[in-house]
């Protein structure tokens, strides 16, 4: 089985992130060569984010939601249970497929276990129709 290059890149990036997290807080100030979120990086257009729903950016490990029209939120896309990247946004919740934890799209609060900690908020800026990481 041969994975396409983009799939390999995602897997490698995920491993690198897991290692960095495992080693504690060793932020090197932002390496443009990694897939970690970068300040000023445009994630999406506002029209890409459904009202009452959201969109997961797996490479950036960010989920952007729009609980009500014009109100955009962003959270870490890494489940607080065992660190899977969340899989879907549906019916007002951000859902992890690994063990079925779910989180509120408005504030990241746990709405279903086994996770006990909310998804951490991420800072975004909405300027015109562009959503960027703050
Ligand atoms: S890692 Fe998400 S529910 Fe277990």
């Amino acid at each position: 089985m041969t994975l396409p290059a983009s799939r390999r890149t995602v897997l490698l990036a995920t491993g690198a992130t897991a290692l960095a997290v495992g080693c504690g807080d060793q932020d090197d100030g932002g390496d443009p060569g990694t897939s970690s979120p970068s300040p000023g990086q445009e994630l999406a257009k506002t029209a890409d984010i459904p009202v009452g729903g959201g969109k997961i950016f797996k490479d950036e490990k960010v989920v952007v939601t729009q609980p009500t029209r014009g109100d955009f939120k962003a959270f870490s896309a890494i489940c607080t249970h065992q660190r899977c990247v969340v899989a879907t946004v549906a019916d007002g919740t951000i859902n992890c497929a690994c063990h079925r934890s779910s989180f509120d799209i408005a504030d990241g609060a746990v709405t279903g276990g086994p996770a006990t900690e909310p998804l951490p908020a991420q800072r975004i800026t909405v300027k015109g129709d562009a959503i960027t990481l703050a």
Side-chain angles (χ1 to χ4, degrees):
M1 183 177 80
T2 303
L3 294 172
S6 61
R7 178 71 176 148
R8 281 196 301 265
T9 302
V10 169
L11 291 173
L12 289 171
T14 303
T17 300
L19 287 173
V21 169
C23 295
D25 186 12
Q26 295 184 348
D27 187 354
D28 63 3
D31 178 355
T34 71
S35 62
S36 298
S38 304
Q41 176 185 344
E42 183 173 320
L43 272 179
K45 300 295 187 190
T46 53
D48 296 337
I49 313 299
V51 177
K55 186 170 179 182
I56 297 163
F57 298 88
K58 287 188 178 351
D59 286 352
E60 293 82 2
K61 309 286 190 295
V62 173
V63 55
V64 178
T65 64
Q66 187 177 188
T68 57
R69 184 171 300 281
D71 180 26
F72 294 91
K73 310 276 186 182
F75 305 95
S76 167
I78 299 174
C79 180
T80 57
H81 177 231
Q82 289 184 3
R83 309 195 63 78
C84 288
V85 176
V86 295
T88 61
V89 183
D91 298 327
T93 59
I94 300 162
N95 308 298
C96 180
C98 287
H99 313 96
R100 299 184 178 272
S101 287
S102 58
F103 305 88
D104 193 294
I105 63 168
D107 60 7
V110 176
T111 59
T116 58
E117 297 293 322
L119 292 177
Q122 300 275 304
R123 293 195 350 194
I124 53 172
T125 299
V126 181
K127 192 170 186 178
D129 67 348
I131 299 173
T132 57
L133 291 167

